[in-house]
Amino acid sequence: MPKQTWTSTIPAGYSTSPIVDNGIIYIGTGDGNICALRASSGTKIWNYTLSTHIVTSCPVIAQGIVYICSNLTIYALDASTGEKIWSCSDAAFGSSPAVVDGIVYVCSSGSVYALDALDGSELWNYPLGGVASKGTPVVYEGVVYVGGGPIDRGIYALDALTGEQIWSYTPEWYKNTPWVSAPAIADGMLFYSTNHRIYGLTLDNGTEVWHNVIHAESSPAVANGMVFLGSGIFGNPLPSCCAFDAKTGRQLWNYSASWGSAVYPEVGEVVFFFSFSDPAVREGVVYFCSSDKNVYALDAATGELVWKYSTNNTKSSIVSDLVLLSPVVGRGEVFVCSSDGVLYAIVTDSRIIYFILAFLLVIVTFIVTVFVVVRLFKKYCVR
């Protein structure tokens, strides 16, 4: 079973999933701060307060700089100290940024922007038609792939240097809702979800290869020829994690969790039927979080449960400890946030086994060293 190594609590709660870089966790809080914590202990290193007091994106690290969006502004902070390098308020930046080759790509309310990573100056922007996707733009081999607005529910492929459109895709079936996931790319295909469907498109021209109906509320993850997706929304099937064949779109397995609830003094108990968690895949294991207050680890090939960890220990009478944000997987550790403001560091079984094996290796090395020293001493020193 997994073991909790430490927790870190913020009264205002955490508003973003954490990221881990060089042993440091970066995470946004509900009161408009970004914090840097030591991944080994949860100890705070620095804290920076955003001017708008709203964190709307997960932080991103590139070349020692942290990039994060507030309600109207994107910030670039020194990753070691938290000092502001620059900020840009030219648009209502909302998505998590992507940083590639010295350029920051980020979505606003209606457009995708390319900014100089060193000073935040605008290089180009491209209108997406209405509210932009909640997901991060993806940059691959000189092309930016990004979800469109509520008008078309599609995907755009843009030249990363100029912003010129290479191709676009609009699904035949869509509703006027402002949600498009971040795309995922693997093996010459692009995958994204919107409006209860997941799509597989060719990367070169955006031709639809397949789609499948799923109550999706997450961005997909791709590994080993499989596409993984979190699903389940209000009034629909239980929160779950699904796997699809990346080439055909055939559903391979589905693991259903349970619904969760939170108690609010004004209205009583509210039941939640969803998982907003993007799945994370590492070394043959899929991790996802659910509104039933559990973190799940599943066998990526079969969907069978490897382990689950419960955060059901809330001390708050107002907000329950639902686990709605996406997990982040480190080297043998999983970091997750609950809605009552607790960040958990969970050591997985593989990490525990690693420590056991490392300890045994130290013991064996010590015994062998002592044996060799004794033999040499008897041979050369004892007459």
Side-chain angles (χ1 to χ4, degrees):
M1 294 295 293
K3 304 293 182 181
Q4 174 189 304
T5 55
W6 56 260
T7 62
S8 175
T9 303
I10 295 292
Y14 293 102
S15 60
T16 74
S17 296
I19 65 165
V20 184
D21 184 75
N22 290 328
I24 300 177
I25 297 173
Y26 302 89
I27 189 168
T29 68
D31 56 357
N33 288 272
I34 177 173
C35 301
L37 313 172
R38 297 198 184 281
S40 59
S41 63
T43 304
K44 184 183 292 187
I45 301 173
W46 56 258
N47 179 90
Y48 182 85
T49 301
L50 307 180
S51 60
T52 58
H53 301 289
I54 299 175
V55 182
T56 57
S57 80
C58 292
V60 173
I61 311 294
Q63 301 297 316
I65 299 177
V66 183
Y67 301 90
I68 192 167
C69 292
S70 70
N71 191 35
L72 298 170
T73 306
I74 180 171
Y75 293 83
L77 310 176
D78 187 288
S80 300
T81 65
E83 295 182 1
K84 186 175 79 170
I85 299 173
W86 58 260
S87 64
C88 177
S89 303
D90 292 344
F93 298 110
S95 76
S96 295
V99 185
V100 177
D101 295 334
I103 300 178
V104 181
Y105 303 91
V106 61
C107 291
S108 72
S109 56
S111 298
V112 56
Y113 284 78
L115 309 176
D116 189 294
L118 295 180
D119 59 17
S121 58
E122 182 181 321
L123 303 177
W124 56 260
N125 75 79
Y126 185 90
L128 297 172
V131 179
S133 71
K134 76 150 191 172
T136 303
V138 173
V139 185
Y140 181 75
E141 294 186 349
V143 181
V144 181
Y145 301 91
V146 62
I151 296 176
D152 55 25
R153 306 286 82 227
I155 287 286
Y156 291 84
L158 311 174
D159 186 284
L161 294 179
T162 66
E164 295 181 1
Q165 180 180 308
I166 299 173
W167 58 257
S168 66
Y169 168 82
T170 301
E172 293 183 0
W173 186 96
Y174 63 91
K175 291 181 180 179
N176 190 30
T177 55
W179 193 87
V180 175
S181 79
I185 293 173
D187 300 327
M189 290 189 64
L190 178 147
F191 310 93
Y192 85 106
S193 64
T194 182
N195 298 308
H196 304 175
R197 278 163 169 72
I198 178 172
Y199 293 86
L201 313 177
T202 60
L203 200 59
D204 56 352
N205 58 19
T207 300
E208 180 183 321
V209 178
W210 58 262
H211 75 264
N212 206 325
V213 178
I214 182 73
H215 295 292
E217 286 291 339
S218 84
S219 296
V222 187
N224 299 323
M226 303 172 69
V227 183
F228 305 93
L229 196 69
S231 69
I233 60 174
F234 292 100
N236 280 310
L238 295 175
S240 62
C241 184
C242 308
F244 302 87
D245 186 290
K247 292 183 178 180
T248 66
R250 180 175 63 90
Q251 183 170 313
L252 302 175
W253 55 256
N254 175 82
Y255 182 91
S256 294
S258 302
W259 56 77
S261 65
V263 178
Y264 298 86
E266 299 84 359
V267 296
E269 184 177 26
V270 177
V271 178
F272 297 91
F273 297 86
F274 57 78
S275 172
F276 292 142
S277 168
D278 297 339
V281 188
R282 188 182 179 101
E283 297 178 352
V285 179
V286 183
Y287 303 87
F288 83 105
C289 301
S290 173
S291 57
D292 66 357
K293 309 176 185 180
N294 283 298
V295 184
Y296 291 87
L298 310 176
D299 185 294
T302 64
E304 295 180 356
L305 180 66
V306 178
W307 56 257
K308 69 177 180 179
Y309 178 85
S310 175
T311 63
N312 191 15
N313 61 350
T314 182
K315 298 179 181 179
S316 171
S317 60
I318 299 178
V319 181
S320 185
D321 46 354
L322 307 177
V323 190
L324 305 180
L325 298 173
S326 304
V328 172
V329 185
R331 295 181 178 179
E333 286 183 317
V334 180
F335 302 96
V336 295
C337 302
S338 60
S339 57
D340 56 352
V342 181
L343 172 63
Y344 295 83
I346 305 167
V347 178
T348 63
D349 291 338
S350 60
R351 184 68 175 267
I352 295 173
I353 294 173
Y354 169 79
F355 281 130
I356 293 174
L357 292 175
F359 176 75
L360 291 176
L361 179 61
V362 171
I363 296 298
V364 171
T365 302
F366 175 77
I367 293 174
V368 171
T369 301
V370 171
F371 177 78
V372 172
V373 170
V374 170
R375 290 292 300 270
L376 292 175
F377 179 79
K378 289 181 177 179
K379 182 176 180 180
Y380 295 105
C381 299
V382 179
R383 300 295 182 179

